[in-house]
Amino acid sequence: MYYRGNYMDSGDAREMGFKRQRIMDQGSSYYATPPGSSYMYNLPPPPPPPSYSYHGQPPPFPVVRLRGLPFDCSETEIADFLHGLDVVDVLLVHKGGRFTGEAYCVLGYPLQVDFALQRNRQNIGRRYVEVFRSKKEEYYKAIANEVYDSRGGSVPRARSSDESKDLAEHTGVLWLRGLPFSASKEDIIDFFKDFELPEESIHITATFEGRPTGEAFVEFASADDSRAAMAKDRMTIGNRYIELFASSSEELEEAVSRGRVLEKPVDGRDPNEVTSILRMRGLPFSAGKDDIMDFFKDFALTEDAIHVTFLSDGRPTGEAFVEFASTDDAKAALAKDRMTLGSRYVELFPSSIEDMNHAVSRGR
């Protein structure tokens, strides 16, 4: 349990901590006996709550959901991932006693949710982490499930991942994971050939530089169709087996709003094609243009060729774009991929002038 700020929701974040402690350590109204967890830290009394102006409405509960976390991830690493924000609570999600790679993070103030969303698809270790808006009800439900899990699966017993999929609520949207990077909409339509799917219902997701992630969202005609389509879970496209998960229009819209959907190739360009521009990821936040020039000391670079990106509040993202004199130089520079700058290893990706201008224009 982390406390670095406060929050007004029938009390502040510290009171939320006490509420979490009562649920986890003393049991809630749903359980006859306490689970006996000693998870929570002791928290000091809450300070006076800050004032908000929400025109007579209570402020939204400031919670985000993280997905894709390393399976050995700790709460401290998640707090570091959200550095600069007031991390009040980190709830690691387990099923059947195993970490699912998801977590809920309660933040100090509602406005901090927007800042947390800017960390979407940034890395913890070698894995990129997705960040989604969440709701107080989802967070409380996750707490209740953790209580179930901590009781060893009694009342009720812990569900396997397959059972959880069977019992998941369907809204007509499925999330696909494990697709071949070459998979097209036609391949996905053929995979679900027992269902009527227009191309517009299939949304293949892409990385920031436009390369496919191996994931997609598919909109079915009804919740019943998406539930029936789960029979294809772990069947193959090519030589890859595909995992299916119940999703929602909110998660799909989140992906679309962040420009993460690869609707069609741009001008027929191969997203893996090397241009004269590379994107760097994983830079130390203190890294400057001089450090990057030293990293690429075998190449003739000027300061004007280096573009370090920043968040809207002026903090560095840990990324930069570098313009080389030629495509051949950029290809040769890729040999530096995963070499270190300071104590951090740096990843290199082919990019484009459009991606670079887009990042710079967004204040990134």
Side-chain angles (χ1 to χ4, degrees):
M1 176 74 179
Y2 291 87
Y3 175 76
R4 295 177 186 161
N6 50 31
Y7 169 65
M8 178 69 176
D9 178 66
S10 300
D12 69 359
R14 287 174 173 151
E15 184 171 87
M16 179 65 244
F18 289 128
K19 190 181 297 182
R20 167 93 178 273
Q21 174 134 20
R22 288 196 297 271
I23 293 174
M24 296 297 290
D25 287 348
Q26 300 174 12
S28 73
S29 59
Y30 297 107
Y31 313 108
T33 58
S37 169
S38 58
Y39 176 80
M40 301 294 297
Y41 296 103
N42 291 321
L43 300 176
S51 59
Y52 291 93
S53 176
Y54 283 93
H55 306 289
Q57 298 295 322
F61 189 75
V63 59
V64 294
R65 179 169 64 90
L66 309 184
R67 183 171 71 189
L69 295 163
F71 286 99
D72 59 352
C73 187
S74 68
E75 296 168 18
T76 302
E77 288 175 299
I78 293 173
D80 289 342
F81 176 74
L82 296 171
H83 66 88
L85 303 180
D86 299 320
V87 179
V88 176
D89 188 23
V90 175
L91 175 67
L92 302 177
V93 178
H94 297 81
K95 285 184 180 178
R98 295 186 177 184
F99 180 44
T100 63
E102 296 191 4
Y104 289 87
C105 295
V106 179
L107 303 172
Y109 305 97
L111 290 176
Q112 291 190 340
V113 169
D114 291 326
F115 289 104
L117 292 174
Q118 293 178 4
R119 313 290 168 90
N120 186 51
R121 298 186 77 81
Q122 293 188 20
N123 275 40
I124 292 181
R126 296 191 176 187
R127 300 196 61 172
Y128 72 80
V129 177
E130 294 180 287
V131 184
F132 302 95
R133 293 182 188 275
S134 189
K135 299 177 182 178
K136 178 171 64 175
E137 294 78 12
E138 294 174 348
Y139 169 67
Y140 282 0
K141 182 178 179 180
I143 292 174
N145 289 338
E146 287 300 295
V147 175
Y148 283 144
D149 207 69
S150 70
R151 293 169 64 96
S154 60
V155 198
R157 67 182 180 86
R159 297 168 182 155
S160 69
S161 59
D162 288 339
E163 287 177 304
S164 297
K165 286 184 179 183
D166 290 341
L167 296 172
E169 180 181 355
H170 281 265
T171 63
V173 179
L174 291 186
W175 173 51
L176 283 66
R177 184 171 69 184
L179 292 166
F181 292 126
S182 60
S184 65
K185 291 189 175 185
E186 290 76 14
D187 294 321
I188 295 173
I189 289 173
D190 185 61
F191 182 72
F192 291 116
K193 60 187 175 184
D194 296 331
F195 302 88
E196 292 291 333
L197 292 175
E199 283 199 6
E200 309 85 71
S201 68
I202 297 168
H203 311 272
I204 299 172
T205 61
T207 62
F208 178 74
E209 62 272 12
R211 290 185 292 178
T213 63
E215 301 174 3
F217 292 89
V218 178
E219 297 178 277
F220 289 83
S222 67
D224 287 340
D225 277 2
S226 69
R227 187 177 290 106
M230 286 296 298
K232 304 283 288 185
D233 185 37
R234 297 182 181 272
M235 292 190 180
T236 58
I237 291 180
N239 60 353
R240 299 285 300 272
Y241 77 83
I242 311 301
E243 291 185 282
L244 306 181
F245 302 88
S247 187
S248 65
S249 57
E250 289 79 13
E251 288 191 0
L252 170 58
E253 288 167 8
E254 186 88 28
V256 172
S257 69
R258 292 183 176 278
R260 288 185 46 230
V261 173
L262 187 68
E263 294 295 356
K264 58 183 178 180
V266 180
D267 300 328
R269 180 173 66 87
D270 181 352
N272 294 312
E273 179 184 357
V274 179
T275 67
S276 62
I277 298 175
L278 297 184
R279 180 169 70 95
M280 307 177 73
R281 183 172 69 186
L283 293 166
F285 294 119
S286 59
K289 292 187 176 185
D290 289 344
D291 299 309
I292 294 172
M293 290 174 69
D294 186 60
F295 182 77
F296 291 117
K297 60 187 175 184
D298 297 329
F299 302 90
L301 293 176
T302 64
E303 286 196 1
D304 292 339
I306 298 169
H307 309 272
V308 180
T309 61
F310 297 88
L311 298 172
S312 57
D313 62 359
R315 288 181 293 132
T317 63
E319 298 187 3
F321 291 83
V322 180
E323 297 179 90
F324 289 85
S326 67
T327 299
D328 288 340
D329 278 1
K331 286 181 179 178
L334 281 169
K336 304 279 289 184
D337 183 40
R338 295 184 182 274
M339 292 190 181
T340 57
L341 198 163
S343 60
R344 302 281 300 272
Y345 76 84
V346 178
E347 294 179 287
L348 304 179
F349 304 92
S351 190
S352 66
I353 188 70
E354 294 82 10
D355 288 342
M356 181 180 74
N357 289 340
H358 179 66
V360 172
S361 68
R362 290 180 60 191
R364 296 188 58 224

